[in-house]
């Protein structure tokens, strides 16, 4: 009989703890999306707004206001593929991963690399 009473007390204690946890305010950090979720959201939102395919993310950092990314986008597909026109977009998102702004910062042909800068210039 005591085992039954102990089991009931244990269940009541667990229920009490569960209801207390449900009443606690949520932590803001827990509300923030993971970095991978932010990357997916940024690529999807930019593609939806521009109508162009986001191919990769070349820069990604968390800021005080949310997130800052640089996304590589296919702007004009050409044959051969190395002649396709690409662009880099600077993308800003809020802490929840919603796009707050973007701008194109560079256009280039896929097959061309950036010129090397010597002497830190």
């Amino acid at each position: 009989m005591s085992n039954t009473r102990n089991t009931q007390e244990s269940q009541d204690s667990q229920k009490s703890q569960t209801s207390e946890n449900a009443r606690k305010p949520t932590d803001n950090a827990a509300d923030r999306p993971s970095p991978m979720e932010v990357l997916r959201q940024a690529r999807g939102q930019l593609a939806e707004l521009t109508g162009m395919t986001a191919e990769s993310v070349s820069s990604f950092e968390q800021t005080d206001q949310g997130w800052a990314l640089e996304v590589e986008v296919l702007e004009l597909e050409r044959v051969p593929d190395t002649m396709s026109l690409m662009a880099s977009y600077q993308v800003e998102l809020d802490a929840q991963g919603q796009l707050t702004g973007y701008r194109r910062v560079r256009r280039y042909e896929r097959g061309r690399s950036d010129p090397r800068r010597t002497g830190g210039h």
Side-chain angles (χ1 to χ4, degrees), residues 60-104:
F60 177 73
E61 69 176 307
Q62 190 170 4
T63 66
D64 292 338
Q65 294 79 29
W67 306 90
L69 297 83
E70 193 161 309
V71 180
E72 306 304 314
V73 172
L74 175 62
E75 285 204 334
L76 180 62
E77 193 167 4
R78 293 182 178 159
V79 176
D81 189 48
T82 56
M83 298 302 292
S84 292
L85 193 57
M86 303 292 294
S88 295
Y89 281 82
Q90 184 178 354
V91 179
E92 296 172 4
L93 296 99
D94 64 16
Q96 284 70 44
Q98 295 301 308
L99 194 139
T100 59
Y102 72 93
R103 67 184 176 101
R104 184 174 60 204

Side-chain angles (χ1 to χ4, degrees), residues 15-76:
K15 286 178 186 176
S16 173
Q17 288 175 354
T18 301
S19 65
E20 285 176 22
N21 289 341
R23 283 180 274 183
K24 288 183 182 176
T26 58
D27 183 10
N28 287 340
D31 293 339
R32 290 182 75 116
S34 73
M36 286 306 296
E37 290 171 326
V38 171
L39 290 172
R40 287 185 194 105
Q41 288 177 4
R43 289 178 67 170
Q45 291 176 66
L46 184 63
E48 187 175 345
L49 287 169
T50 63
M52 294 179 278
T53 304
E55 293 208 344
S56 64
V57 176
S58 58
S59 173
F60 177 73
E61 69 176 307
Q62 190 170 4
T63 66
D64 292 338
Q65 294 79 29
W67 306 90
L69 297 83
E70 193 161 309
V71 180
E72 306 304 314
V73 172
L74 175 62
E75 285 204 334
L76 180 62

